[in-house]
Amino acid sequence: MSVRLLWLLVALLASTVAALLVFILRIRLGARGSEAVLWAGSAFAGSMAVVLGALVFVSGG
């Protein structure tokens, strides 16, 4: 398995965990389910964008 694929899997796992944490916290703070899903999706997309951008920067394109 290449190093890039390993880092991509780690990024996917970290983004999923971040999205689940945001979802759980939003539900506990009293948000509706649909609103919590939107927040979690935003957290997932944002963290994936940051991690993938960093991977592209580190790997040189």
Side-chain angles (χ1 to χ4, degrees), residues 2 6-7 9 14 16 21 24-26 34 36 42 44:
S2 71
L6 179 65
W7 279 111
L9 291 174
T16 303
L21 286 174
I24 290 168
L25 288 174
R26 292 303 295 179
S34 59
S42 178
F44 180 80

Side-chain angles (χ1 to χ4, degrees), residues 7-8 10 12 16-17 19 21 26 29 36 39 41 49 52-53 55 58 61:
W7 279 111
L8 184 62
V10 169
L12 183 63
T16 303
V17 168
L21 286 174
R26 292 303 295 179
L29 291 173
W39 276 89
L52 291 176
L55 284 174
V58 168

Side-chain angles (χ1 to χ4, degrees), residues 3 5-6 8 13 20:
V3 175
L5 181 60
L6 179 65
L8 184 62
L13 179 65
L20 285 173

